[in-house]
Amino acid sequence: MLEGLPPNDATHVMRVEAPRRQAQRIADLISETFDPAEVAVANFERTDDDWVVEVYAGAAFDADMLRELVEIAAGPEMAAAVTFGEIEQKDWVAASLEGLAPVAVGPVVVHGAHDRGRVGPHRIGIEIEAALAFGTGHHGTTQGCLHAIVQAARQGRPRRVLDVGTGTGVLAIAAERLFHTEIVGSDIDIVAVRTAKANATANKAPGVRMVHAAGAGARAIRIHGPYDLILANILLPPLKRLARPLASLLAPGGRIVLSGLLTAQVPAALAAYRAQGLHLVSQRHIEGWATLTLAARSGRPRG
C-alpha cells in the first residue's frame, strides 16, 4: 500500500516492522492523520507475517506524535521499535515502491515498472507509478473497486462509464481495458488529471477521456451521460454531497460503485444513496475498508 505522496523534497523517513494486521492499522492511522500532500505512507511485506511501515515527509517528524500514533494502533512495544532517519532527496519514491508486489484482481494486474516482467500471459497489466495523485492499486478501496469492475465485466459490459475522482486513473484504465468502451474520468485536481491522462496513454487505453471538473454537474461530465456504471472512490463527505448529482447521471438499471469508506461509514453512505432511489446490490470489505455497489431501479432515479 502507498497512500499519499509527499513533496519532491522528501528527506525524512519513519520506519517500523510489525505483523501484518498491526502494520495495516499503523499505516491506516498515520495516513488518516496527515495531509497526503505532505506525508506518504508505505506498507509492504518482507515475509508472510513480517511487514514494514515507512512514512516519508519533507520535514523532520514530531517523533513523540508518531510514536503515540503507533502505540494507539499497535501498542507500546511497536511504538518503542519505531526508528527515524534521513534519505536522499531523490530516493523516496524508489524506497516506497521496491517492496510493493503486483496486485491481481481477476484478470487485472496493477504493477509498477519494477514488476513489469512479472505480469503473466493473458493478463491485463496496468502499470502505475508513484506520482502526485492517489492510487497505486494496493489500498483496500482501490482493490474493492477493481473487484466491482471485474464483476461488471462478467455480467455484461457497460457502454458508458464515469470514474469520479479518478486520481491516477487506474480504475478508468481497468474499465476501458475490460469493457472496450469510452470511459470518462474526472478529478478536481489538475495534477491528477494530467497524471491520469499520461497513465492512460502509457497503458494503451485510448477510450479513456479525462476531464478537469469541480463537480458531477460539470457539462463535460453530463454531456456523455447517462452512465451505465459510475465509479466513485473518494471519501464519505464528498460521496454524501454527490449522492443526488450522481444518481441523476445514472441510466435506468445502472450501477454506482462507492468506496473510500471505512466499515463504520457504510450506513451513512447507504442512507444518502437510498434516499435517491438506489438499492444495495453487494458490498466487499478489505482490511477495514468497504466498497458498495448500488443499482438504480428500472425507472430513472430521482435527480
Side-chain angles (χ1 to χ4, degrees):
M1 173 187 111
L2 176 65
E3 293 311 317
L5 300 174
N8 292 330
D9 61 351
T11 55
H12 292 77
V13 59
M14 183 214 89
R15 190 174 189 272
V16 63
E17 296 185 23
R20 179 178 179 274
R21 291 190 179 278
Q22 289 179 307
Q24 185 66 58
R25 289 197 295 268
I26 292 168
D28 284 345
L29 182 57
I30 293 176
S31 65
E32 292 165 15
T33 301
F34 291 94
D35 184 342
E38 298 176 355
V39 172
V41 182
N43 181 21
F44 53 87
E45 181 181 13
R46 288 170 59 89
T47 63
D48 286 346
D49 199 38
D50 181 16
W51 285 60
V52 177
V53 179
E54 292 182 346
V55 184
Y56 299 87
F61 292 107
D62 181 333
D64 291 339
M65 179 182 180
L66 266 295
R67 287 196 177 95
E68 182 178 352
L69 291 173
V70 173
E71 183 171 351
I72 291 170
E77 184 177 345
M78 287 296 105
V82 169
T83 61
F84 297 90
E86 297 184 9
I87 57 174
E88 292 184 20
Q89 182 174 337
K90 64 182 180 181
D91 284 345
W92 78 268
V93 170
S96 297
L97 291 176
E98 282 176 357
L100 291 176
V103 173
V105 176
V108 176
V109 180
V110 183
H111 63 92
H114 59 291
D115 277 320
R116 191 178 298 158
R118 295 175 64 182
V119 179
H122 311 299
R123 307 301 293 273
I124 298 174
I126 300 177
E127 186 170 308
I128 301 291
E129 289 298 339
L132 296 177
F134 173 89
T136 60
H138 291 78
H139 196 267
T141 58
T142 310
Q143 291 182 43
C145 289
L146 289 171
H147 278 285
I149 292 170
V150 169
Q151 185 62 30
R154 290 170 178 163
Q155 294 174 341
R157 296 172 179 171
R159 293 185 298 110
R160 293 160 295 183
V161 180
L162 171 65
D163 178 21
V164 179
T166 195
T168 59
V170 61
L171 299 181
I173 294 166
E176 198 272 358
R177 297 285 301 277
L178 279 165
F179 305 150
H180 304 290
T181 190
E182 182 176 285
I183 314 293
V184 177
S186 74
D187 208 293
I188 62 174
D189 185 348
I190 190 61
V191 174
V193 172
R194 291 169 182 162
T195 299
K197 284 182 178 178
N199 284 334
T201 299
N203 283 281
K204 297 179 174 58
V208 172
R209 178 194 299 270
M210 294 295 173
V211 299
H212 182 215
R219 184 177 183 276
I221 292 176
R222 301 194 72 86
I223 196 172
H224 296 286
Y227 296 94
D228 304 304
L229 178 66
I230 296 176
L231 308 167
N233 181 16
I234 38 182
L235 296 169
L236 178 62
L239 283 176
K240 290 169 67 177
R241 291 195 300 270
L242 288 170
R244 182 178 293 274
L246 289 184
S248 70
L249 289 171
L250 199 61
R255 296 192 172 191
I256 294 182
V257 175
L258 307 178
S259 199
L261 299 166
L262 293 167
T263 298
Q265 297 173 327
V266 168
L270 284 176
Y273 284 81
R274 282 172 171 160
Q276 302 305 317
L278 276 68
H279 64 278
L280 181 66
V281 174
S282 65
Q283 57 182 302
R284 181 182 295 270
H285 296 261
I286 300 175
E287 297 176 340
W289 296 91
T291 300
L292 311 177
T293 299
L294 301 100
R297 303 191 186 280
S298 57
R300 188 72 177 270
R302 291 190 308 216

